[in-house]
Amino acid sequence: MDNVNKPASLPQDTSSSDKPSQNELPQDEPLQGKRLQAPKLEAKQLMVAKWLSLAPLYKLPVTLFRYVFLAMDRVLGLTKIEMDKVINLTVPVSAGTPFMGTIPLNEHSASVTSTSNNSNNGNDSNKSNSTIKLRIYHPSANKPQKTLVYFHGGGGVIGSINTHDHFCRYLAKHGNMNIISVDYRLAPEHKFPIPICDAIEAWNYINANHQQLNINPQHIGVGGDSAGGYLACIIGLHSLQTSLPVQAKVTPAFQFLIYPMVDLQGLTESYRRFNKQLILTRDLMDYFRLKYLHSLDEVTLPLVSPLQAADISESPKSYILTLGFDPLRDDGIAYAQRLKAAGINTQHQHYDDCMHGFISITKLSPRAKQATHNIAMALNSFNE
């Protein structure tokens, strides 16, 4: 077995203790009356955000932005942890352009002319429209019983299994869980709802082939950060999938949502407020919306904004993380509250001194490193 890099010593935090700090809330304590935002963003996170704001990310061409995102994670993010086994697979997905009800989607959204999408590094553009990649992380020779199918963040426009490789390794090791990372196709080459369809088809493939993948079919959950959290929550909402050409065939055992993107309407106070000196700003969210959607008229569709779904009671037991300095904060809190109101066993953690995307800057920020460790410990709690 490969040697595993052990993380540096971390300060004690409440995710693994009985006593909450000012930055985190216990599982079932409501947020009403609690501080949603620290007086200041943690200093090292603010330093990175100021540095990134010198050349606003929302002004970057998509292809360049994808390289910048990967470079940021490699330079500022987690150190790579060796696994017992990492398996890369290429799996089939439906080619062509799906239709949603009576809304014909832009035929160019499934264009084969682009080779910049991260799901294909070769020159076979037809192949890029019929396959996606999975990366399976087995953290130890004594394979964990449970598995998390993970969808990376990036607004549905940037990100890949490579930008989240180190994070998935960290989750696998410290969460003591097999992680299967999904390299779904990205907008603007593959607009809504193609990333959703890819996510569902990957989910169905994993469940149908659990024996070959050496995972327990009774304990497969779904999760992701930001846009990946959005894709993950839709996997468990079968009623939203009826207009899609594919539907999830198995209900997830649990869902693990890290500052998820659950409403693209952009109507909240946090969405309006946070528009400078952060990794994710309102302008950057607008950039993602315009590239992911065919029209802003689609923002009210529950498949685009699952917070708008009439009923989310079919969701599995859930973990959801929200942050004090995040345009998505208020929508995430509202989603957590709806899950609880629907009777879903829900653990909601809120870090009031962190910003969206902190998992990519752990080398510079002790708080980001600590909070990332807490996420892995929250995942580990699903083993109980």
Side-chain angles (χ1 to χ4, degrees):
M1 183 173 73
D2 294 335
N3 291 327
V4 176
N5 296 331
K6 294 184 178 179
S9 177
L10 294 166
Q12 184 177 5
D13 204 280
T14 62
S15 289
S16 55
S17 68
D18 294 325
K19 201 171 179 185
S21 76
Q22 64 177 352
N23 294 320
E24 289 139 42
L25 300 170
Q27 175 175 340
D28 53 3
E29 184 173 341
L31 278 170
Q32 287 87 347
K34 294 292 179 180
R35 188 174 72 183
L36 297 185
Q37 179 186 338
K40 291 183 180 180
L41 176 63
E42 186 255 346
K44 293 296 179 66
Q45 293 179 61
L46 179 59
M47 178 186 72
V48 174
K50 286 182 176 179
W51 174 66
L52 290 172
S53 65
L54 295 175
L57 296 173
Y58 67 90
K59 294 186 178 181
L60 295 177
V62 171
T63 303
L64 177 58
F65 199 167
R66 291 170 181 168
Y67 283 112
V68 168
F69 192 26
L70 177 59
M72 181 175 74
D73 181 76
R74 289 295 181 268
V75 173
L76 304 178
L78 293 162
T79 300
K80 182 177 179 179
I81 296 176
E82 295 302 324
M83 299 280 99
D84 177 67
K85 187 183 295 184
V86 176
I87 301 169
N88 289 288
L89 296 178
T90 300
V91 302
V93 291
S94 300
T97 303
F99 285 77
M100 272 189 50
T102 60
I103 306 174
L105 300 185
N106 186 342
E107 293 180 4
H108 193 64
S109 67
S111 169
V112 299
T113 60
S114 172
T115 59
S116 63
N117 185 272
N118 64 334
S119 38
N120 181 41
N121 293 324
N123 295 318
D124 186 351
S125 57
N126 287 320
K127 184 177 179 181
S128 73
N129 279 296
S130 58
T131 63
I132 59 174
K133 294 178 182 178
L134 304 182
R135 184 170 294 164
I136 306 170
Y137 303 88
H138 293 294
S140 67
N142 298 320
K143 292 183 174 58
Q145 287 296 303
K146 296 192 177 183
T147 298
L148 176 70
V149 177
Y150 193 86
F151 303 101
H152 64 78
V157 176
I158 61 173
S160 69
I161 57 174
N162 293 323
T163 60
H164 284 62
D165 177 73
H166 292 187
F167 181 62
C168 285
R169 289 168 180 267
Y170 194 94
L171 286 181
K173 173 62 179 176
H174 297 287
N176 189 30
M177 200 171 287
N178 302 309
I179 305 291
I180 303 180
S181 184
V182 179
D183 208 25
Y184 58 92
R185 291 173 290 179
L186 300 175
E189 299 93 335
H190 306 287
K191 289 179 176 284
F192 165 78
I194 290 178
I196 300 174
C197 295
D198 284 359
I200 293 172
E201 292 202 70
W203 171 254
N204 287 341
Y205 177 92
I206 290 163
N207 281 275
N209 293 276
H210 61 87
Q211 207 163 18
Q212 297 92 315
L213 300 177
N214 201 17
I215 58 176
N216 186 336
Q218 303 303 315
H219 300 292
I220 307 176
V222 67
D225 62 290
S226 195
Y230 152 70
L231 296 176
C233 74
I234 289 176
I235 298 288
L237 295 173
H238 299 279
S239 61
L240 298 188
Q241 301 169 19
T242 56
S243 60
L244 295 173
V246 293
Q247 291 84 40
K249 297 178 180 178
V250 179
T251 299
F254 62 91
Q255 64 180 6
F256 196 77
L257 312 179
I258 303 170
Y259 40 79
M261 183 180 81
V262 291
D263 195 331
L264 282 183
Q265 293 185 96
L267 301 177
T268 62
E269 188 273 337
S270 63
Y271 192 97
R272 292 189 296 269
R273 178 176 184 180
F274 295 122
N275 200 38
K276 63 180 181 179
Q277 294 185 349
L278 295 171
I279 291 179
L280 183 69
T281 62
R282 182 182 72 235
D283 283 338
L284 186 51
M285 277 302 303
D286 289 344
Y287 172 98
F288 290 145
R289 290 196 307 174
L290 290 170
K291 298 200 181 306
Y292 177 59
L293 301 176
H294 304 272
S295 163
L296 287 181
D297 292 340
E298 294 171 328
V299 294
T300 58
L301 295 173
L303 268 176
V304 172
S305 299
L307 181 59
Q308 300 307 310
D311 183 7
I312 61 171
S313 62
E314 48 186 347
S315 301
K317 64 180 178 180
S318 304
Y319 167 86
I320 183 167
L321 174 66
T322 56
L323 307 175
F325 294 82
D326 183 359
L328 308 185
R329 181 192 69 197
D330 295 349
D331 290 328
I333 291 172
Y335 202 76
Q337 291 171 339
R338 283 200 64 191
L339 287 168
K340 291 180 180 181
I344 307 301
N345 181 0
T346 302
Q347 179 185 2
H348 176 205
Q349 290 187 316
H350 181 77
Y351 301 163
D352 70 358
D353 60 347
C354 289
M355 67 176 174
H356 194 106
F358 68 78
I359 61 175
S360 296
I361 59 168
T362 55
K363 280 192 178 75
L364 288 183
S365 165
R367 175 56 178 150
K369 188 171 185 179
Q370 178 192 54
T372 299
H373 189 70
N374 295 343
I375 291 173
M377 293 300 99
L379 180 62
N380 202 344
S381 72
F382 281 89
N383 288 311
E384 298 171 357

